[in-house]
């Protein structure tokens, strides 16, 4: 049997080459010149300058589009007009109402080559105070690009979905109060609808909800005003009947109050005459 060493006789001049351990050189990345250039200005600044609060990142949230008009500026009296009815962010305040009032004011402003949306974007921050102003100041810079963006963020902040659900439930559960007149009930129901303009109820649902919430006497009188049955009318006709009935009741109540005031003044006048006679 041959062994491994049998191939190489003793004292053979053949040598077995040793295996060399080749170490891989690590990939050394030389520092780039730009890194040194970037660090150099910081090294030249004093510690006071380095510790000073940065001034970057304080831009306005609203991005005002470029205006091509010459000599355009918003007068102080226009800003005062907007600031006269500010929105504070109170629970009782309705952002939809504020938006509508703000649009009503700004719609009267006409400037050549200046879109109305640009004017609204420029003036809206001046209509905010208190918590509403704090909300706007905390919005990221350059995060509001259009008027639609502003309305969406504003409404979602101060009219969350939970409030919408609560108001819609209040509308669905409408019931006429004790000793509440028909006109008072109708005005209160319309106020509930205005408080949640995105309620989504159709005219049919609104009429049905209001009718079912009335007491029996007012339901009967409403059917009588409709010629026997309110359901036999279209939604538009039913709304007109309700509005007319509400106005008639309002005028009757106003007339009764006027007669009461007249009677009170006559009674007071007679009492004064008797007092004067007794004094004489």
């Amino acid at each position: 049997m041959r062994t491994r060493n049998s191939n190489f006789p003793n004292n053979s001049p053949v040598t077995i080459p040793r295996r060399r351990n080749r170490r891989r050189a690590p990939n050394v990345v030389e520092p780039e010149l730009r890194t040194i250039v970037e660090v150099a200005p910081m090294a030249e600044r004093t510690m006071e300058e380095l510790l000073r609060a940065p001034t970057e990142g304080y831009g306005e949230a609203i991005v005002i589009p470029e205006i091509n008009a010459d000599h355009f500026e918003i007068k102080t009296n226009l800003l005062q007009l907007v600031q006269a009815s500010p929105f504070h962010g109170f629970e009782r305040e309705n952002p939809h109402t504020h938006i509508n009032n703000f649009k009503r004011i700004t719609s009267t402003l006409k400037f050549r080559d200046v879109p109305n949306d640009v004017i609204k974007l420029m003036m809206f921050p001046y209509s905010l105070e208190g918590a509403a102003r704090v909300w706007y100041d905390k919005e990221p810079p350059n995060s509001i690009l259009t008027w639609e963006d502003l309305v969406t963020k504003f409404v979602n902040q101060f009219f969350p979905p939970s409030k919408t659900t609560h108001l819609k439930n209040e509308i669905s559960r409408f019931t006429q109060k004790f000793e509440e007149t028909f006109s008072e009930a109708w005005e209160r129901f319309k106020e509930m609808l205005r408080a949640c303009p995105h309620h989504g109820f159709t005219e049919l649902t609104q009429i049905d909800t209001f009718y079912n919430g009335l007491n029996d006497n007012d339901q009967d009188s409403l059917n009588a005003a409709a010629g026997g049955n309110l359901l036999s009318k279209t939604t538009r006709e039913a709304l007109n009947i309700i509005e007319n009935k509400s106005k008639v009741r309002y005028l009757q109540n106003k007339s009764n109050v006027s007669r009461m005031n007249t009677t009170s003044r006559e009674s007071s006048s007679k009492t004064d005459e008797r007092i004067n006679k007794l004094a004489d």
Side-chain angles (χ1 to χ4, degrees):
M1 179 182 293
R2 289 185 177 182
T3 61
R4 178 180 290 182
N5 295 330
S6 63
N7 293 329
F8 301 98
N10 295 333
N11 302 324
S12 174
V14 179
T15 58
I16 301 175
R18 293 183 179 180
R19 186 176 180 181
R20 295 180 180 179
N21 294 329
R22 296 181 179 180
R23 296 181 179 178
R24 294 183 180 181
N27 295 329
V28 179
V29 179
E30 298 294 333
E32 298 181 7
L33 181 60
R34 66 177 182 86
T35 307
I36 301 175
V37 173
E38 290 176 356
V39 174
M42 184 174 293
E44 295 175 356
R45 296 168 61 184
T46 64
M47 289 188 293
E48 182 181 1
E49 292 174 340
L50 294 174
L51 293 174
R52 190 175 300 161
T55 58
E56 296 81 5
Y58 294 98
E60 286 284 333
I62 297 177
V63 178
I64 305 298
E66 184 178 355
I67 300 174
N68 298 323
D70 297 331
H71 308 295
F72 169 74
E73 64 176 350
I74 297 179
K75 303 296 182 181
T76 305
N77 58 344
L78 297 179
L79 296 178
Q80 293 175 347
L81 186 64
V82 172
Q83 292 172 333
S85 301
F87 183 88
H88 299 84
F90 297 141
E91 181 66 24
R92 65 177 182 274
E93 290 180 307
N94 192 324
H96 294 284
T97 303
H98 180 72
I99 290 291
N100 290 332
N101 293 337
F102 180 81
K103 289 171 62 177
R104 192 177 299 112
I105 294 174
T106 54
S107 63
T108 61
L109 307 178
K110 304 294 181 182
F111 295 95
R112 186 177 180 181
D113 298 328
V114 180
N116 190 254
D117 280 0
V118 175
I119 298 175
K120 289 186 289 190
L121 287 173
M122 296 177 67
M123 298 183 64
F124 189 80
Y126 295 96
S127 69
L128 305 178
E129 288 187 3
R133 182 68 194 196
V134 172
W135 160 79
Y136 172 75
D137 290 337
K138 289 183 178 180
E139 284 297 296
N142 305 326
S143 60
I144 301 175
L145 305 179
T146 64
W147 170 248
E148 288 73 20
D149 292 344
L150 177 57
V151 172
T152 300
K153 287 194 171 187
F154 178 70
V155 171
N156 288 338
Q157 175 66 26
F158 297 102
F159 208 110
S162 58
K163 187 173 183 179
T164 300
T165 302
H166 172 72
L167 292 177
K168 289 177 67 174
N169 291 336
E170 290 293 318
I171 295 172
S172 301
R173 294 194 294 263
F174 170 80
T175 304
Q176 187 176 8
K177 295 180 179 180
F178 181 70
E179 293 186 351
E180 186 178 40
T181 64
F182 178 87
S183 58
E184 291 172 346
W186 177 238
E187 288 301 321
R188 183 167 62 87
F189 184 72
K190 290 193 296 183
E191 185 62 31
M192 294 170 67
L193 295 175
R194 284 192 292 267
C196 186
H198 53 295
H199 51 72
F201 295 121
T202 63
E203 287 186 343
L204 175 61
T205 304
Q206 295 175 32
I207 296 172
D208 183 66
T209 302
F210 176 72
Y211 176 83
N212 291 325
L214 294 173
N215 57 42
D216 294 338
N217 291 334
D218 280 328
Q219 284 185 359
D220 293 340
S221 63
L222 191 58
N223 286 324
N229 188 0
L230 186 67
L231 296 178
S232 64
K233 304 296 181 181
T234 65
T235 55
R236 183 54 52 187
E237 291 172 343
L239 285 174
N240 290 333
I241 292 172
I242 294 174
E243 283 288 350
N244 293 334
K245 180 177 172 58
S246 175
K247 292 177 181 178
V248 169
R249 288 294 183 90
Y250 172 76
L251 293 175
Q252 288 177 349
N253 292 338
K254 189 174 181 181
S255 177
N256 292 335
V257 171
S258 178
R259 283 198 297 269
M260 289 176 61
N261 292 337
T262 302
T263 304
S264 178
R265 285 196 298 269
E266 291 177 353
S267 176
S268 177
S269 177
K270 292 180 180 178
T271 302
D272 292 340
E273 290 179 359
R274 287 196 295 269
I275 292 175
N276 290 335
K277 289 181 179 179
L278 290 173
D280 291 340

